[in-house]
C-alpha cells in the first residue's frame, strides 16, 4: 500500500475495452477513486449474463408502497422509497435491482439500444433514475455487482458538494423525481 491506502497495481494489465460483441460503455464519477482492476472485474461480472444488461455497484430497489409524495405524517417519495446497496459496501453476490448509480455503471450500447441524453434524460441531474426508467421500458436487467468492502473510495471532502447532498433536500426536485418514478409503477426486476 502507498500513502493513499490503495493497493498498488502489481503488473500492467491489458484492459479490453472492445469485446467481440461490441464496445463497452463505462460511466464514472469524478469524486470516486477506482481500483486498478475495476474494468476487468466489471467486464467479468457482466459477461456472466446473456443478452442486454446494465451492471454497476450502487444498486437501488424501489419500495413501491413508499413511493408516493410526502404526507403530513410519513416521509414518502423517491428518497424515502429506496433500499440502497451502497457502492462502498461489500456484496458477496450479484443482485438484480431497479436502478443503478451511473457513477459505477457499465453496459454494451449495441445490446441496450440507442440512448439519447436529450430525449431519454429530459431533466438534468437525474441520470440514475432515467437509466432505471429506460431499463424498465426496455425490460433490461439491472444488476448490482459483487465486490469487496471499500473496493472503491470517495475522494475526501467531496460528499458535501455531491449531487445527492445538493439535490436531495430540494422539495421541488424530489416531486419531479417521484413523479417520474411513479410513472413506471409497478417497477419490475428483469
Amino acid at each position: 500500500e502507498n500513502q493513499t491506502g490503495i493497493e498498488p497495481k502489481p503488473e500492467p494489465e491489458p484492459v479490453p475495452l472492445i469485446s467481440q460483441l461490441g464496445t463497452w460503455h463505462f460511466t464514472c464519477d469524478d469524486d470516486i477513486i477506482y481500483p486498478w482492476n475495476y474494468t476487468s472485474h466489471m467486464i467479468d461480472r457482466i459477461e456472466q449474463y446473456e443478452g442486454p444488461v446494465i451492471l454497476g455497484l450502487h444498486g437501488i430497489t424501489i419500495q413501491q408502497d413508499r413511493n408516493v409524495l410526502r404526507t403530513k405524517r410519513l416521509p414518502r417519495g423517491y428518497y424515502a422509497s429506496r433500499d440502497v446497496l451502497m457502492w462502498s459496501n461489500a456484496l458477496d453476490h450479484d443482485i438484480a435491482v431497479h436502478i443503478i448509480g451511473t457513477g459505477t455503471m457499465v453496459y454494451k450500447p449495441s445490446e441496450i439500444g440507442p440512448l439519447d441524453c436529450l430525449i431519454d434524460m429530459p431533466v438534468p441531474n437525474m441520470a440514475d433514475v432515467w437509466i432505471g426508467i429506460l431499463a424498465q421500458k426496455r425490460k433490461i436487467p439491472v444488476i448490482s455487482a459483487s465486490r469487496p468492502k471499500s473496493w472503491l473510495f470517495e475522494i475526501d471532502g467531496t460528499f458535501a458538494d455531491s449531487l445527492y447532498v445538493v439535490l436531495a433536500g430540494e422539495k421541488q426536485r424530489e416531486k419531479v423525481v417521484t413523479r417520474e418514478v411513479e410513472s413506471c409503477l409497478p417497477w419490475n426486476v428483469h
Side-chain angles (χ1 to χ4, degrees):
E1 291 190 9
N2 56 27
Q3 293 174 338
T4 64
I6 299 172
E7 183 180 326
K9 180 177 175 181
E11 291 295 322
E13 175 186 348
V15 178
L17 294 181
I18 308 253
S19 76
Q20 294 176 351
L21 299 175
T23 303
W24 298 104
H25 183 186
F26 284 83
T27 58
C28 301
D29 277 349
D30 60 359
D31 58 354
I32 296 176
I33 297 172
Y34 298 83
W36 64 270
N37 62 342
Y38 177 76
T39 55
S40 60
H41 175 80
M42 297 298 278
I43 290 171
D44 287 345
R45 295 305 323 133
I46 201 169
E47 286 188 335
Q48 301 301 310
Y49 300 92
E50 290 187 29
V53 65
I54 298 171
L55 184 114
L57 301 181
H58 191 77
I60 298 166
T61 303
I62 302 295
Q63 297 305 314
Q64 298 175 63
D65 59 329
R66 295 187 310 215
N67 191 52
V68 294
L69 292 176
R70 294 183 185 274
T71 63
K72 291 181 180 178
R73 294 183 171 210
L74 298 172
R76 302 282 184 173
Y78 171 68
Y79 292 105
S81 74
R82 304 177 326 147
D83 283 340
V84 180
L85 299 168
M86 291 292 296
W87 56 268
S88 56
N89 293 342
L91 191 60
D92 63 2
H93 61 282
D94 294 358
I95 296 178
V97 296
H98 296 130
I99 295 173
I100 208 73
T102 53
T104 63
M105 182 176 73
V106 60
Y107 62 89
K108 289 182 183 177
S110 63
E111 291 186 358
I112 70 161
L115 172 62
D116 184 325
C117 290
L118 295 177
I119 294 170
D120 297 318
M121 300 181 181
V123 178
N125 301 322
M126 292 175 40
D128 300 359
V129 172
W130 294 125
I131 291 294
I133 289 171
L134 179 121
Q136 285 294 300
K137 289 179 178 176
R138 297 182 186 179
K139 296 182 168 71
I140 298 170
V142 179
I143 307 294
S144 185
S146 63
R147 70 277 187 166
K149 182 176 175 61
S150 301
W151 188 47
L152 279 65
F153 295 92
E154 186 170 44
I155 296 173
D156 287 337
T158 59
F159 182 71
D161 295 328
S162 68
L163 276 177
Y164 176 78
V165 171
V166 171
L167 299 176
E170 292 184 12
K171 292 186 189 314
Q172 187 58 37
R173 170 67 57 161
E174 183 165 6
K175 286 180 182 178
V176 170
V177 175
T178 299
R179 183 184 68 237
E180 295 301 329
V181 169
E182 285 178 338
S183 75
C184 283
L185 289 174
W187 283 71
N188 298 301
V189 174
H190 300 287

